[in-house]
Amino acid sequence: MILQGVPASAGYAIGKARIIREEVSHQPVAKIDPSTVAGELERLEAALARAADELSRLHAKWIGDGREQEAEIFEGHLYLIRDEELTSLIRSKIADDYFQAEFAVREAAEDIASRLSRLDDPYLQLRSADIRDIGDRICRCLSNKQEERAAPGSEREILIAEDLLPTYIAQLDNEVVVGFATSLGGATSHTAIIARSLGLPAVIGAVTNLERIEEGQTIIVDGVEGKVIVDPSEEDLASYGELRERYLRRLNELRAFGNRPTRTSDGHLVELTANIGSVKEASSAADCGAEGIGLFRTEFLFMERNDLPDEDEQFEVYRDIVQAIGPEAPVVIRTMDIGGDKELPALNLPKEQNPFLGFRAIRISLEKMDLFKTQLRAILRASALGNISIMFPMISTMQELSRAMEAVEAAKRELAEQGVPFDRAVPIGIMIEVPAAAILADRFAKVVDFFSIGTNDLVQYTMAADRMNAKVMHMNNGLEPAVLRLIYNVIQAAVAERIPVGMCGEMAGQPLAIPLLLGMGLQKFSVSGGSILATRELISRIDRREAQELLKDALELDDPDKIKACVEKWYANRQASIMMEVALGKSQ
Amino acid sequence: MEWIEMQKQFVIQNLLGLHVRPAKAVVASASQFNCTIQIEKEGVQFNAKSLVGVLSAGIKFGDTVTLIAEGEGEAEAMKTIGDLLASPIEENPAKKVQP
């Protein structure tokens, strides 16, 4: 039996099912005799003290392990357990309503949880699950039970439960419990965050039929694909066993590349950032070791809705991204790149014959100035909070660029008049994805603060080959000599004007392209979050002078297949091991 | 001794509003005083010594709130917590810019 859920913490685990059942979920109202109120209150105070003590120890342990982000979750719990409002609510439910202490705790926790959940604030990290967690902890302390730990055994266990609380996961014995699956929760819950930081494979939420699993059954948790395999076949066990080994080996190799700058083997620093399309991806990019956000696609704000996002809504999203990745980290926000094939229902744009050559991106923004100005104001407001840059997509002419820059100036003037803070020196850059802009790169470089080469479109426009059309797809190749020469031209133009130049297309993460790009002098690579570590590892093994030699040879060739062979040979002459799969996810 | 309630208005300067981290700072500071301390927003009062209370207020950057203190040490409490509310509580990015 294979159950599908949401992958919440990557990795593979094989073990025996241990079913965790909710102990006291729906207790009936438990009343006490008014004469026992004093005793019940004393019992509560003792339980609160014990619970606070447990949390202090957990907090200290995680701080000691250098896991401050996780420790902060427990610090928050500690605050709540000593919270005047929560504790006085519990006390009044005992003293005034004559509730039994356990029942009073649950009722009070429920009240507070629902009050907090009504506030629509993304920063409210204390969610209803945390409040419930605290309620459970106090109840456990009330009944004088020790913190439950997995029974010491030789068998590896997979926990199966409707829901598991973050603090429960945090104190599991990692030797025994190797993974878990739950039917409630989500990938962004604190439970998932803790599981990821413990490296505990987990499938959380949306797993139906979990109740059909029986105690002791063999279970495979596939935290990469979000699968739970019950009673696997011998073949499954063998293949997952191998997958697990390979995963752990690769993880170990890559882990060394998590928290360090990206440097070529001869010491040149390059910037390695992530491409993202949502706030959620910003947090996972940070977990993946990204140095910032090289491309935030703002399209999701505009798609699949019938109205337009207002300034505050957009500001909150940009602010959340800065918060997720950190105020120092660079964040490049690309203004809306929509139209043509990506629908924008609110504007009711007509279908086009040739959407990729049509009314899209900056072309729409410059026509719909209100929409553009709203987005620019929101980005500028967020620029006061972090290291934000603005980037325009699909720029083809200098006239488009100057109109777009005028719009930025106008938005800045408005904000200044209204006394709203923003970064006056916010860098303005363009995507180089239209051949017209690539050809005039020397001119554009005199006006903008940075370039980012978008290879997906640049390749298809340069080669006039639709990447969705199977007949011509083979021509859609970044190693085509024309494409390489054009990219080199852009990089040289940027270097000549001393402006930074990066790449945010797929090519930036491709092992065959990376040495060529380094040889050309590319300074910034923006790739998908999952490719960060492998790309950093690869770059760290490349000597830039050797890459320059390789580039010289490659530029002499007229055939993309020969260029590919040339790069492969270059790799083979160095270390065979650096020809690795780019991402862990691709190792399957 | 009779205490007369003190109150004063503040405009929140923490750019991300009073989310969990700055709220903790307010609660930690308020808890050191014996007087009652309330934060009033849009006519509703919240207990400044309670994280649940401060968070429930949902205070954002630029919001105007009234700080109300009554009891022992109220003047000092007004000053300490008022200074906190009127400051960018968290370390804001180095390049914070004035318009």
Side-chain angles (χ1 to χ4, degrees), chain A residues 188-206:
Chain A
T188 56
S189 64
H190 280 156
T191 304
I193 292 170
I194 298 277
R196 280 197 292 273
S197 88
L198 290 172
L200 205 58
V203 176
I204 297 184

Side-chain angles (χ1 to χ4, degrees), chain A residues 72 75 79-80 83-85 112 115 119 123-126 319 323 327 385-387 419-424, chain B residues 15-16 19-21 24 27-28 47 49-53 55-58 60-61 93-99:
Chain A
E72 206 171 314
E75 197 200 355
Y79 263 81
L80 285 175
D83 194 272
E84 272 192 11
E85 221 156 293
I112 304 255
R115 198 203 300 175
L119 292 167
Y123 287 99
L124 220 50
Q125 294 160 351
L126 293 163
R319 175 196 67 185
Q323 180 79 358
L385 309 174
N387 183 2
V420 180
F422 63 93
D423 177 3
R424 282 180 177 276
Chain B
L15 287 165
L16 297 176
H19 67 92
V20 178
R21 214 169 298 153
K24 275 191 216 157
V27 173
N47 183 352
K49 296 183 182 180
S50 157
L51 188 60
V52 169
L55 290 178
S56 304
K60 301 212 169 6
F61 171 75
K95 55 173 219 161
K96 193 174 54 107
V97 196
Q98 294 304 315

Side-chain angles (χ1 to χ4, degrees), chain A residues 233-275:
Chain A
S233 64
E234 285 300 315
E235 296 91 83
D236 282 344
L237 278 174
S239 74
Y240 268 98
E242 197 187 318
L243 217 48
R244 185 174 163 275
E245 289 302 312
R246 229 160 66 191
Y247 180 86
L248 291 176
R249 217 170 30 238
R250 187 78 183 110
L251 197 64
N252 243 342
E253 287 167 3
L254 286 182
R255 194 164 283 152
F257 292 88
N259 244 334
R260 61 156 84 166
T262 310
R263 223 182 261 283
T264 60
S265 67
D266 53 334
H268 285 278
L269 266 184
V270 298
E271 184 186 282
L272 182 58
T273 54
N275 298 334

